[in-house]
């Protein structure tokens, strides 16, 4: 099968060529022909910044632009007169020589004032610019997702345009995490490190096909200065009326000639709460009512180290390390009553359910890149090794009383579920740029995953804890995925296009031993994943355009979802895994219209089969509610997207989005057909004296997730920032969920069971941030250290 995949790549290589981008390369000199080092180069399309670069020490520069068209090239330097030139890009420009005139008035500092709007759109993605946005104050990356157009976050799950199953990348590297591990990682990745967030609803073929709901790529800020530079800062937040959190951090970068070093460290500690109320009916006329109050503590240490070496101006090698070491503990108190028409049958259960999880996550990455010709053709090799040690324990300490308040059951036990994951990935890509803006990209990827889970139960006897014989079990998971892809892009008959196809072969094995449930599950399958992106410009300045996209995706079950663990959430609620889950497949299509380069209307449709849904099953005999994942039927989502940015004044800009959805979730156990909408608005106000204000809000009457329908969810956030000490010190403050409406009610439908849930958590938070940036050196071009295992990280849970 591996031969088939790479044969496919070779055949498509022969079939055609296209372009992913065009390049602008050149050199900046003065009137005597001497090089002008470290000039600022900006490419604009109207008011939008398309590309930015700092010229090297010899004055040379090179920028990659996504598509052909008309642009404005601007070059600035403190000692020279500003340069501006209109360029028409039909092919790459290889040897532009820009001559700057000496400025009569020497300026100490020049700042490019062409600001990026909050939201920009490219042929295959939407970009939300986070940097310098006060609304991001103190927020984690998963909090920032809630600000993105078309993105909705519900209890840690993420959807784009109403489709769930979104995966997360950082600088183009898939996070090899999922579930609680992913939540912890994103909770500790703060806005201060983030430049922008890319929402890729329909990922092209160069990305792994994993993830039915698209991809969100977090782009971190880059360092552009040599010598020693960095920042130091701290976040402090407090849930209004509840608990505080704080996170100090420091980042250092050093660059000298060909060597670049970087390092950062942050420490996070926070406390939060969650209250849940559940109501349901039993077939024997019993009425179930449970209230659960949880308090959680999170502690984390986060380390990032990196080193790059420029072998030449066209070739580099880099190595990086990411470590996250921390723990999360939670204590839940649950009181459950079951009432019957006959009072003597009533029961009351009162239980404490503590849990503790300790995680040691390490990732070592190796990057190699070389530019092979003057057109910008490039070969890259990215390899990663991930080691994730997750040690978890959950306890159940519960008593059940009859109607006379006499104890009829006393339950005391712990469930231990340690897990060790080892993942190796290697990703090879080659982008071949040809003349007339034509080119070709192709590559391959290999992923090898081994996960070992030891699960055990223990009870308290004779003054000590000991394992319960016969209940422990071991679950081993092995996965090998081999992939190849080809991308073709360019322009023909006035239509920009980006076409791709990806082939992936999956070889999966799961072995379960012990606990009376010995099982071996083996699967081997090959799939093709095509992608199509088209753009037709409707006027000369390319401000109006029609777009079309299509792709096919796969969502494999996470490693944790396959592990048949069982632990108690409350007296009558159990969560468990399912080793027999199959992958789900999604086909999605979207037609869009861009007006005046900023307004957008889109119509999309996605269809998913063998949907992996979280379902809630009732066991009437035991009065238990079991939460698990199952492949249940199909899911269709119809979406209308309307994006309307408005510039009210020179200092007040707004971004407004309306998402209309109609969801059909059909399975043998339930049938849900519901319409909904999400209204988002973002207000960006720039005041004098370095002040800036951001306001953000959203509202939705309901969210449909599988067999669960929520009630209304809303939030309104306010942020303000002030820059001091010549913009080196930034002080920010924000309040999230001012009106405390980002909590919800939900109803679960499954067979004849209807369960009503109400959830309240620490969503109203006051955050304060101060960051001081220091810079001791000259500008330089930093390397982007990429990762090959982003998809696998997102599936660790």
């Amino acid at each position: 099968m591996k031969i088939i995949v790479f044969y496919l790549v070779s055949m498509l290589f022969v079939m055609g060529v296209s372009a992913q981008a065009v390049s602008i390369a050149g050199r900046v000199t003065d009137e005597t022909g001497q090089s002008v080092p470290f000039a600022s180069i900006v490419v604009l399309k109207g008011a939008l910044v398309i590309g930015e670069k700092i010229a090297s020490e010899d004055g040379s520069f090179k920028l990659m632009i996504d598509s052909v068209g008309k642009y404005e090239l601007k070059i600035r330097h403190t000692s020279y007169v500003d340069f501006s030139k209109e360029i028409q890009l039909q092919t790459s420009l290889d040897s532009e020589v820009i001559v700057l005139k000496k400025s009569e008035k020497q300026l100490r500092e020049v700042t490019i004032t062409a600001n990026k709007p909050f939201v920009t759109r490219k042929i295959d993605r939407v970009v939300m610019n986070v940097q310098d946005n006060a609304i991001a104050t103190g927020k984690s990356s998963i909090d920032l997702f809630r600000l993105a157009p078309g993105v909705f976050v519900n209890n840690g799950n993420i959807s784009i345009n109403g489709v769930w199953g979104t995966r997360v990348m950082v600088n183009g590297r898939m996070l090899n995490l999922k579930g609680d591990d992913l939540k912890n990682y994103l909770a500790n990745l703060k806005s201060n490190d983030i430049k922008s967030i890319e929402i890729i609803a329909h990922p092209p073929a160069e990305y792994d096909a994993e993830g039915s709901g698209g991809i969100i790529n977090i782009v971190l800020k880059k360092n552009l200065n040599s010598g020693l530079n960095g920042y130091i800062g701290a976040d402090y937040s407090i849930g209004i009326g509840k608990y505080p959190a704080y996170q100090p951090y420091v980042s250092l970068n050093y660059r000298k000639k060909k060597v670049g070093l970087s390092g950062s460290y942050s420490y996070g500690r926070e406390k939060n709460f969650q209250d849940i109320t559940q109501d349901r009916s039993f077939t024997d006329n019993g009425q179930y009512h449970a209230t659960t109050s949880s308090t959680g503590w999170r502690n984390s240490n986060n380390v990032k180290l990196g080193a790059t070496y420029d072998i030449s101006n066209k070739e580099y090698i880099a190595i990086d390390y990411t470590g996250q070491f921390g723990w999360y503990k939670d204590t839940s108190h649950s009181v459950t009553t079951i009432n019957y028409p006959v009072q003597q049958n009533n029961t009351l259960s009162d239980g404490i359910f503590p849990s503790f999880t300790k995680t040691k996550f390490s990732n070592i990455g190796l990057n190699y890149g070389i530019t092979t010709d003057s057109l910008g053709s490039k070969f890259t090799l990215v390899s990663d090794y991930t080691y994730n040690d997750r040690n978890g324990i959950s306890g159940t300490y519960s008593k059940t009383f009859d109607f006379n308040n006499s104890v009829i059951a006393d339950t005391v036990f712990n469930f231990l579920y340690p897990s060790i994951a080892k993942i190796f990935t290697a990703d090879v890509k080659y982008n071949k740029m040809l003349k007339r803006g034509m080119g070709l990209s192709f590559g391959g990827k290999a992923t090898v995953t081994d996960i070992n889970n030891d699960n055990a139960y223990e009870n308290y006897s004779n003054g000590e804890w000991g394992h319960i014989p016969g209940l422990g079990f071991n679950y081993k998971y092995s996965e090998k995925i081999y992939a190849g892809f080809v991308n073709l892009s360019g322009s023909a008959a006035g239509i920009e296009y980006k076409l791709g196809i990806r082939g992936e072969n999956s070889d999966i094995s799961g072995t379960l031993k012990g606990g009376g449930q010995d099982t071996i599950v083996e699967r081997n399958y090959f799939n093709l994943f095509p992608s199509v992106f088209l753009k037709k410009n409707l006027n000369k300045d390319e401000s109006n355009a029609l777009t079309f996209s299509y792709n096919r995706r796969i969502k494999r079950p996470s490693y944790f979802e396959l592990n048949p663990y069982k632990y108690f959430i409350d007296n009558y609620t159990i969560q468990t895994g399912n080793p027999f889950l199959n992958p789900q497949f999604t086909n999605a299509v979207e037609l869009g219209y861009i007006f005046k380069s900023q307004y957008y209307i889109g119509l999309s449709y996605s269809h998913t089969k063998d949907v992996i849904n979280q379902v809630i099953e009732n066991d009437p005999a035991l009065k238990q509610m079991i939460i698990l994942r199952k492949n249940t039927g199909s899911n269709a989502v119809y979406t209308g997207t309307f994006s309307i940015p408005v510039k009210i004044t020179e200092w007040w800009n707004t971004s407004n989005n309306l998402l209309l959805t109609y969801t059909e979730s059909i399975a043998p156990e339930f049938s849900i057909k519901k319409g909904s909408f999400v209204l988002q608005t973002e207000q960006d106000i720039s005041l004098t004296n370095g002040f800036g204000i951001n306001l953000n809000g959203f509202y939705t009457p309901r969210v449909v997730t599988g067999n669960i329908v929520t009630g209304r969810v809303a939030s309104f956030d306010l942020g303000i920032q002030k820059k001091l000490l010549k913009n080196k010190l930034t002080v920010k403050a924000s309040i999230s969920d001012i009106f405390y409406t980002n909590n919800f009610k939900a109803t679960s439908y499954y067979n004849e069971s209807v369960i009503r849930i109400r959830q309240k958590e620490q969503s109203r938070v006051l955050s304060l941030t101060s960051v001081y940036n220091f810079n001791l050196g000259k500008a330089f071009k930093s390397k982007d250290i990429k990762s090959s295992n982003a998809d696998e990280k997102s599936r660790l849970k």
Side-chain angles (χ1 to χ4, degrees), residues 550-574:
Y550 162 78
N551 75 341
R552 182 173 189 254
R553 306 283 290 169
I554 184 176
K555 182 179 184 295
R556 302 176 181 90
S558 73
Y559 315 121
F560 201 61
E561 290 168 339
L562 293 166
N563 183 3
Y565 65 95
K566 288 183 180 180
Y567 70 84
F568 281 77
I569 297 175
D570 60 30
N571 305 286
Y572 293 93
T573 307
I574 298 173

Side-chain angles (χ1 to χ4, degrees), residues 118 135 146-148 680-683 694-698 715-718:
F118 184 65
I135 200 67
R146 295 185 174 95
L147 308 182
Q680 296 172 300
T681 182
E682 192 268 345
Q683 312 287 319
N694 289 102
L695 300 97
N696 180 277
F698 81 87
S715 180
F716 187 77
D717 305 343
L718 169 67

Side-chain angles (χ1 to χ4, degrees), residues 28-34 36 75-84 98-106:
V28 183
T29 70
D30 60 17
E31 295 174 288
T32 67
Q34 297 295 313
V36 176
I75 299 180
R76 291 185 175 183
H77 192 283
T78 56
S79 302
Y80 297 86
V81 177
D82 292 352
F83 175 88
S84 179
I98 309 298
V99 179
L100 300 183
K101 295 182 179 179
K102 199 74 173 178
S103 174
E104 296 180 3
K105 182 179 180 180
Q106 297 296 315

